[in-house]
Amino acid sequence: MKISRMTPWAAALAAAALIGIPAAASAGQQGTTAAENPTAATTDPYADYYANAQGKTGPALKTALHDIIKTQSKVTYDGVWNALKVTDQDPANPNNVILVYSGRSQSKTTNGGGVNDWNREHVWAKSHGDFGTATGPGTDLHHLRPEDVTVNSTRGNKDFDKGGSPVGEAPGSLTDADSFEPRDAVKGDVARMLLYMAVRYDGGDGFADLEMNDKVNNGSAPLFGRISLLKQWNQMDPPDAFEQRRNQVIFDQYQHNRNPFIDHPEWVNSIW
């Protein structure tokens, strides 16, 4: 379910409407409306947040972004259930969430472990770095999404690549023995979630240094691939209103840190 792309400023207004925060505050605490300030719509509302990253590229940009986003509040694994009901709420039906690979709108109350329930999908599979469900990478909302139990199991801990057989209950997704390809509407979302994890977790906090590579079959190594394809997905599927709102909700209500690649998808090519 893809929603048309919006500017960060417009997305902030959409977020304000959906989560009940003042529009001016959500648009970077500008304090003026677009009518009062014609340049507001083209001003980066997160410039202050990313101030220490401006003008940097390559490893220096990656380090600067890590230092910014590592400051966060943490959610427990049990707390993830209720958080996902807010972050992934269906804009057309507040009683439902959108399942990331399936694209299905499903009742928030059907979370659990049974057939056709939805559960907590780790987009960066928790075995890649062996962090499990520990508070930190195992509970980081920036890569946890609701998904059908069966589809979650089918995806397992596979790396992301192209091709394979159709995935039941996830139209447009494909899988084979060593990889998973999500539907087109969330290819960029998947890429940006993985790249966030590779920047946020660098060997500190007692967890493994998560990194990208251009392989599949990474197993339990703290690596994920394929970076060459993920870079393509980031470009072909830019951030939309749903993804931008999700980033804002996580920042405002839960972790108080952001996924920089949703705010600045161009930074992907600046680092990798």
Side-chain angles (χ1 to χ4, degrees), residues 89-163:
Q89 179 175 296
D90 181 350
N93 185 347
N95 296 313
N96 287 10
V97 292
I98 300 293
L99 308 188
V100 60
Y101 305 134
S102 302
R104 187 168 74 234
S105 179
Q106 183 158 323
S107 172
K108 293 178 178 179
T109 64
T110 59
N111 61 294
V115 175
N116 293 324
D117 285 347
W118 64 267
N119 60 4
R120 298 160 290 188
E121 156 70 345
H122 291 79
V123 177
W124 185 293
K126 54 186 180 288
S127 64
H128 290 233
D130 196 28
F131 53 74
T133 59
T135 301
T139 66
D140 196 312
L141 295 171
H142 282 297
H143 84 116
L144 281 158
R145 301 293 291 267
E147 185 48 71
D148 176 88
V149 168
T150 303
V151 175
N152 195 344
S153 178
T154 298
R155 187 271 158 130
N157 70 345
K158 296 172 182 175
D159 293 88
F160 291 94
D161 202 355
K162 294 180 69 174

Side-chain angles (χ1 to χ4, degrees), residues 164-182:
S165 302
V167 178
E169 298 192 72
S173 297
L174 304 170
T175 192
D176 57 23
D178 58 16
S179 70
F180 189 90
E181 179 180 356

Side-chain angles (χ1 to χ4, degrees), residues 156-261:
N157 70 345
K158 296 172 182 175
D159 293 88
F160 291 94
D161 202 355
K162 294 180 69 174
S165 302
V167 178
E169 298 192 72
S173 297
L174 304 170
T175 192
D176 57 23
D178 58 16
S179 70
F180 189 90
E181 179 180 356
R183 61 194 176 100
D184 288 348
V186 294
K187 279 182 164 67
D189 308 50
V190 165
R192 289 180 285 273
M193 284 185 277
L194 294 174
L195 300 176
Y196 161 87
M197 292 292 283
V199 170
R200 169 60 186 87
Y201 299 98
D202 70 345
D205 305 317
F207 298 107
D209 181 6
L210 306 184
E211 295 291 349
M212 306 305 303
N213 68 7
D214 209 31
K215 301 177 180 179
V216 294
N217 279 325
N218 279 301
S220 62
L223 302 168
F224 237 103
R226 306 176 56 106
I227 182 58
S228 60
L229 185 61
L230 294 169
K231 288 172 63 178
Q232 294 176 30
W233 289 355
N234 174 59
Q235 291 185 307
M236 68 171 278
D237 173 38
D240 64 10
F242 185 92
E243 190 180 1
Q244 290 168 327
R245 174 193 174 271
R246 189 176 196 278
N247 196 25
Q248 190 68 37
V249 171
I250 293 171
F251 178 72
D252 287 337
Q253 298 189 31
Y254 296 101
Q255 296 183 183
H256 312 299
N257 72 340
R258 307 186 67 82
N259 182 333
F261 304 113

